[in-house]
Amino acid sequence: MIADGFPWLTAIILLPLVASFLIPLLPDKEGKLVRWYALGVGIADFALMCYTFWQHYDASSATFQLVEKYAWIPQLGFSWAVSVDGISAPLVLLAGFVTTFAMFAAWQVNLKPRLFYFLMLVLYSAQIGVFVAQDLLLFFIMWELELVPVYLLVSIWGGPKRRYAATKFLLYTAAASIFILVAGLAMALYGDNTTFDIVELGAKNYPLALELALYAGLLIAFGVKLAIFPLHTWLPDAHGEASAPVSMILAGVLLKMGGYGLIRLNLELLSDAHIYFAPVLATLGVINIIYGALNSFAQTHMKRRLAYSSVSHMGFVLLGIASFTDVGVSGAMLQMLSHGLIAAVLFFLAGVTYDRTHTMAMDSLGGIGQAMPKVFALFTAGAMASLALPGMSGFVSELQVFVGITTSDIYSSTFCTVMVFLAAVGVILTPIYLLSMMRQVFYGTGAELSCNINNAAYQNQEDEGTACFGTDCLLPSQAVYKDATPREVFIAACFLVLIIGVGVYPKIATQMYDVKTVAVNTQVRESYTQIAEANPRIYAKGFFSPQISEPEIMAVSGIK
């Protein structure tokens, strides 16, 4: 029997990383054994997560659990410190689920399969490390570690402009992550004790000016990853050129790192500064919702349209974080989980379509619904979930955000009305651009499918215009538009079952984090109460005009 002191989280992080270094030793020339090996490691790690959280995670506690702390560089106060709470635990499970199925979706990789699966397993470990790191310097290291596999996965197995897209991704995210390092050092060095432990950093009392500067820097860093306007431009390029499995991870997990960082550091650690930045977050959220939806209309590339859809949906995360309500913050968490599942299955199905048609240009598609009815049915279900059809997870998460911002007693009624109205416009636009994409791809006559990539160029990988992922590119006359295989149906069905399950019974997801999100929001409201007592007009008159209830003033002041 394994002792209770077993380092569960460390094992979850290191299992894929250690397993990745064994790939070169596998006696496999064609890549078939490698893919089964990588998939087995992914399943084993996901199973270990499920067992660990089922047996050792208490959803009724708002504190950090499964804490493991080992001194690494004591002179700098740097430790290997990992733990989970309600904010990180569901995202760890999301990362494990999406990445495991992304490796299953990459079954057709025949270009450098050893390197491909090695990078996927390293990325698996880095993602988990970001979500469980309790040491801010460890958080930064894991944040940086995941950039390298993504860069290589896009630049080697991507589309015609893969090197441009990969370089843009690396420059944006690496430059933005400097703000995490600077903010982490500033928080660690402030005060009498030098520490990178997130719990101890949260106990420090920072001057408001410093806290505002830290918040602004972290907002830039996490805003790039979350694809907040105008820091989002890397995302459509990366999605447009990345292979389907990599796009699944980009949309399903990596975007959520930005939302996680905002809640973990900006909201929880810098709650005083959040009072001043919350209206900015709400405004940026609405801009994301409308801007992303409108830009989706202009895209004729299927994956770029889905990428701008992700930009739009991430706006709801910002709106929920800025709501000052329990239901709003809970909605932001659920939106991250829901979008992670929905976006992953949509990008997977876009890849399935590409494997048959060898093009992402919607103008070159049309009338393939009859030839591929299973793909059409699965794609339709994913689109319905994305446009927030009742009974699916997207509906519940967006509804929570709407209720949260509508019932917020912090902002003026004018501000809430404007925010809700503009966000509703984005919700109306979503079915239009998604259903028009479905009509254009699966119905209509369309243009003749074309492909300028020959098998020799595919093998050499010298041509910058060569798409590297998937089946060998065939001439239009040789193309076979076969329907989804059992493997592809199984992958899509696993996502859709979860999407519908959360939509019908949201408590499947919310029970993991509700206690924590309520505790975080309570802390933020206490900060607001204290600031509003000294400065009751901290927001602009008329439009924001914060309000504060008498019971809250008495509670914070200690009056009974």
Side-chain angles (χ1 to χ4, degrees):
M1 181 177 179
I2 298 177
D4 292 337
F6 184 79
W8 296 104
L9 296 181
T10 299
I12 291 171
I13 297 171
L14 295 183
L15 175 58
L17 184 63
V18 173
S20 67
F21 289 103
L22 299 179
I23 287 180
L25 304 178
L26 296 177
D28 184 26
K29 294 182 179 180
E30 299 180 357
K32 294 181 179 179
L33 178 61
V34 170
R35 68 189 186 190
W36 279 109
Y37 172 78
L39 179 62
V41 172
I43 293 173
D45 205 42
F46 181 66
L48 182 59
M49 294 175 198
C50 295
Y51 172 80
T52 300
F53 294 151
W54 180 265
Q55 292 292 328
H56 303 285
Y57 174 74
D58 181 11
S60 64
S61 173
T63 59
F64 285 103
Q65 303 175 49
L66 296 169
V67 179
E68 301 166 20
K69 193 169 184 179
Y70 311 99
W72 196 340
I73 308 178
Q75 296 83 350
L76 298 178
F78 180 30
S79 303
W80 174 274
V82 292
S83 61
V84 292
D85 63 356
I87 299 173
S88 55
L91 293 173
V92 169
L93 291 172
L94 175 69
F97 183 82
V98 172
T99 309
T100 298
F101 277 97
M103 288 190 287
F104 197 20
W107 223 235
Q108 293 169 309
V109 169
N110 48 25
L111 171 70
K112 302 177 182 177
R114 290 178 185 270
L115 178 59
F116 181 88
Y117 288 107
F118 169 81
L119 294 172
M120 291 288 276
L121 289 176
V122 172
L123 179 58
Y124 200 136
S125 287
Q127 292 171 154
I128 304 303
V130 168
F131 292 129
V132 304
Q134 188 177 312
D135 185 282
L136 196 51
L137 194 55
L138 179 62
F139 174 87
F140 172 76
I141 291 173
M142 292 295 181
W143 187 279
E144 291 293 283
L145 179 61
E146 56 86 15
L147 301 183
V148 179
V150 176
Y151 171 78
L152 293 174
L153 287 166
V154 175
S155 62
I156 298 175
W157 291 270
K161 298 179 180 178
R162 56 189 179 275
R163 290 167 191 160
Y164 167 78
T167 303
K168 190 173 183 179
F169 161 80
L170 187 64
L171 289 176
Y172 266 68
T173 51
S177 62
I178 294 174
F179 290 98
I180 300 176
L181 178 61
V182 173
L185 290 172
M187 288 190 283
L189 297 175
Y190 180 82
D192 298 331
N193 63 319
T194 299
T195 179
F196 289 95
D197 189 277
I198 289 178
V199 175
E200 296 179 20
L201 292 177
K204 291 186 177 183
N205 187 21
Y206 306 101
L208 182 59
L210 174 61
E211 195 164 319
L212 290 171
L214 294 172
Y215 193 105
L218 291 172
L219 179 59
I220 294 173
F222 299 137
V224 169
K225 190 73 89 176
L226 192 63
I228 299 176
F229 175 88
L231 307 173
H232 69 286
T233 57
W234 65 271
L235 183 65
D237 291 322
H239 273 308
E241 303 305 319
S243 61
V246 178
S247 284
M248 290 171 68
I249 297 174
L250 271 173
V253 183
L254 297 192
L255 287 183
K256 312 310 174 285
M257 291 181 182
Y260 170 77
L262 285 176
I263 297 176
R264 170 68 72 212
L265 301 182
N266 292 56
L267 193 62
E268 189 174 9
L269 263 61
L270 306 173
S271 54
D272 286 353
H274 180 72
I275 308 306
Y276 294 87
F277 275 94
V280 178
L281 259 63
T283 304
L284 288 173
V286 168
I287 292 174
N288 258 48
I289 293 169
I290 296 181
Y291 172 84
L294 290 176
N295 269 274
S296 291
F297 283 109
Q299 308 304 314
T300 58
H301 188 286
M302 192 191 313
K303 286 178 71 177
R304 289 182 69 91
R305 177 167 290 199
L306 294 175
Y308 275 107
S309 175
S310 293
V311 172
S312 180
H313 283 92
M314 288 300 96
F316 288 98
V317 176
L318 292 174
L319 206 55
I321 292 174
S323 67
F324 289 101
T325 60
D326 295 344
V327 67
V329 179
S330 175
M333 276 293 300
L334 188 58
Q335 176 70 354
M336 288 195 287
L337 299 173
S338 170
H339 180 266
L341 297 171
I342 295 171
V345 73
L346 285 175
F347 279 109
F348 166 68
L349 292 169
V352 170
T353 305
Y354 173 79
D355 282 342
R356 274 73 172 169
T357 63
H358 311 296
T359 181
M360 284 290 175
M362 293 188 293
D363 294 340
S364 301
L365 295 171
I368 63 175
Q370 289 184 337
M372 300 187 292
K374 294 178 184 176
V375 175
F376 169 63
L378 294 170
F379 220 132
T380 301
M384 293 298 108
S386 185
L387 61 82
L389 184 75
M392 294 189 169
S393 60
F395 173 77
V396 182
S397 59
E398 292 182 14
L399 179 63
Q400 279 193 291
V401 172
F402 272 112
V403 172
I405 195 68
T406 303
T407 58
S408 178
D409 58 346
I410 302 297
Y411 303 112
S412 69
S413 58
T414 305
F415 180 79
C416 291
T417 301
V418 171
M419 293 295 104
V420 170
F421 173 78
L422 293 177
V425 171
V427 172
I428 294 171
L429 294 174
T430 303
I432 300 175
Y433 67 71
L434 283 175
L435 295 180
S436 65
M437 179 185 73
M438 298 294 296
R439 176 192 58 78
Q440 195 169 2
V441 171
F442 292 100
Y443 286 101
T445 55
E448 183 181 1
L449 298 177
S450 60
C451 179
N452 350 344
I453 309 168
N454 56 47
N455 288 330
Y458 178 84
Q459 294 295 333
N460 293 333
Q461 290 300 311
E462 297 290 335
D463 182 7
E464 187 67 29
T466 302
C468 312
F469 179 76
T471 56
D472 290 348
C473 189
L474 304 173
L475 296 174
S477 59
Q478 299 172 305
V480 178
Y481 300 106
K482 63 178 181 179
D483 207 355
T485 64
R487 174 184 63 86
E488 293 164 338
V489 173
F490 175 75
I491 293 172
C494 287
F495 281 96
L496 292 172
V497 166
L498 274 179
I499 290 167
I500 295 172
V502 173
V504 174
Y505 189 65
K507 196 175 179 181
I508 296 173
T510 60
Q511 65 184 352
M512 288 195 70
Y513 61 78
D514 265 346
V515 172
K516 179 64 179 183
T517 53
V518 169
V520 171
N521 188 57
T522 300
Q523 175 185 325
V524 172
R525 290 185 67 90
E526 288 177 355
S527 294
Y528 171 76
T529 305
Q530 294 171 349
I531 292 174
E533 281 185 296
N535 184 8
R537 294 293 180 183
I538 59 172
Y539 298 154
K541 265 189 177 180
F543 192 58
F544 296 116
S545 186
Q547 302 171 3
I548 186 166
S549 65
E550 193 67 29
E552 285 184 300
I553 295 178
M554 295 172 64
V556 174
S557 304
I559 302 172
K560 297 183 179 179

